[in-house]
Amino acid sequence: MRDLATLQVEEEMEGERLDVFISESLNELSRSLVQGLIREGQVLVAGKTAKPSYRVKIGDEVQVEVPRAQEIKIQPQDIPLPIIYQDEDVAVVDKPKGMVVHPAHGNWDKTMVNALLYHIRDLSGINGEIRPGIVHRLDKDTSGVMVVAKNDVAHRSLAEQIRVHSINREYIALVHGLLQENLGRIDAPIGRSPKDRKKMAVIKDGREAVSDYEVLQRYQEYTLVKVKLLTGRTHQIRVHFAYIQHPVVGDPLYGSKRKNLNLDSQALHAWRLGFNHPRSQEYMEFTSPVPQYLQDIITKKLNKSI
């Protein structure tokens, strides 16, 4: 018996090999198993077979005939989840720090999806049972505002806005060192690190990645910045600021171990999100307050107000 999984390529995965995209989207499948499914014709991209090395594009619809091993049923769970706004098409949520967005190996429950299934009646089905409604993601330890699609029409509209870079995404980050310029742009391509496949890196043949930043406050050894994403690569802000030698404070993957202010995860917060409503096309914008842990660091450890 096989189940059909339909996956939509999001911006952060654009340019990945087909086999890598599927194995990372369907965490229960190894890359070697995925390669076998592709060769057997069990994978279709836009209705056609493709090679494992095919580079996926934003908007590609990938269908996978997945062997049925054990049934995975994602259960609704009564987990607190601040919902800033919702209507019949979209919901805007304020994701807490430490919450995984969707189920995967090691995190089959207590995710944002489990909470969404409890608090919201309808969610889009484009990304399958494990990722209902999920149009974009935040890392587990990045807090802040996210939009969720409640039907497939809304999902496709939001995905298209992400593809053409019309969604406004702004973050607040505390980084090491003192940035000299008040305004700056980091324009450096990002792809999988050739040294560590679990990490991203600035590489010559990577995908275009552009981040604009504005200095909000300088402290003795740190800088508080507002960052606007012009593209949406995996770990983009964390990789870009590590690349210019100003890593995000507390970042366990790309950061410096120097004076992390007792943080064990990155000081990064999705502060503002703006998009055109899928039905009315009205521009809507939402913000999430700077989280308490970051306010405490700035006011108590850096002796400044935010």
Side-chain angles (χ1 to χ4, degrees), residues 5-9 60-62 123-129 131-134 149 151-157 159:
T6 302
L7 307 171
Q8 192 93 8
V9 178
D60 277 350
E61 187 172 89
V62 180
L123 294 167
S124 70
I126 285 179
N127 276 339
E129 182 182 0
R131 299 193 294 169
I134 302 302
N151 54 64
D152 290 357
V153 172
H155 191 123
R156 291 188 178 94
S157 172

Side-chain angles (χ1 to χ4, degrees), residues 17-19 22 31-44 49-53:
R17 286 172 54 106
L18 178 61
D19 54 356
I22 295 172
R31 188 173 170 186
S32 60
L33 175 58
V34 170
Q35 289 172 343
L37 293 174
I38 294 172
R39 295 190 181 98
E40 292 169 7
Q42 304 299 327
V43 174
L44 299 178
T49 57
K51 295 181 179 180
S53 59

Side-chain angles (χ1 to χ4, degrees), residues 234-255:
T234 300
H235 300 168
Q236 179 171 317
I237 293 173
R238 300 165 65 188
V239 172
H240 268 173
F241 279 87
Y243 174 69
I244 65 169
Q245 306 301 311
H246 291 281
V248 177
V249 175
D251 191 332
L253 197 58
Y254 304 101

Side-chain angles (χ1 to χ4, degrees), residues 204-305:
K204 184 178 180 181
D205 59 348
R207 308 299 299 178
E208 179 189 23
V210 184
S211 306
D212 284 346
Y213 67 83
E214 175 185 349
V215 171
L216 298 177
Q217 182 70 53
R218 293 181 180 90
Y219 307 104
Q220 188 173 0
E221 299 175 71
Y222 308 92
T223 304
L224 188 70
V225 293
K226 179 174 70 175
V227 186
K228 182 173 182 177
L229 293 183
L230 277 71
T231 56
R233 306 301 169 205
T234 300
H235 300 168
Q236 179 171 317
I237 293 173
R238 300 165 65 188
V239 172
H240 268 173
F241 279 87
Y243 174 69
I244 65 169
Q245 306 301 311
H246 291 281
V248 177
V249 175
D251 191 332
L253 197 58
Y254 304 101
S256 166
K257 294 182 180 179
R258 59 186 181 184
K259 298 183 179 179
N260 271 328
L261 303 173
N262 296 323
L263 284 173
D264 58 1
S265 59
Q266 64 272 10
L268 183 61
H269 176 67
W271 173 66
R272 187 194 300 271
L273 180 69
F275 57 89
N276 292 324
H277 190 276
R279 188 180 300 269
S280 69
Q281 296 305 305
E282 175 189 0
Y283 180 73
M284 308 179 75
E285 195 168 83
F286 302 90
T287 58
S288 167
V290 174
Q292 191 63 48
Y293 84 89
L294 186 52
Q295 292 187 43
D296 288 345
I297 285 174
I298 292 169
T299 57
K300 297 177 182 179
K301 295 185 179 181
L302 302 180
N303 299 316
K304 297 280 185 177
S305 59

Side-chain angles (χ1 to χ4, degrees), residues 63-130:
Q63 293 185 319
V64 187
E65 292 281 351
V66 183
R68 183 176 293 176
Q70 80 178 69
E71 184 117 4
I72 298 173
K73 186 68 176 175
I74 307 303
Q75 297 293 335
Q77 292 179 311
D78 185 4
I79 302 169
L81 182 66
I83 298 174
I84 301 172
Y85 170 86
Q86 70 170 314
D87 58 30
E88 60 185 323
D89 298 301
V90 300
V92 179
V93 302
D94 192 354
K95 187 187 88 67
K97 175 183 173 69
M99 175 178 277
V100 174
V101 169
H102 62 78
H105 275 299
N107 293 285
W108 287 117
D109 63 358
K110 299 179 182 178
T111 71
M112 193 179 89
V113 163
N114 296 102
L116 285 171
L117 290 172
Y118 181 88
H119 293 288
I120 298 176
R121 181 176 178 179
D122 297 310
L123 294 167
S124 70
I126 285 179
N127 276 339
E129 182 182 0
I130 290 178

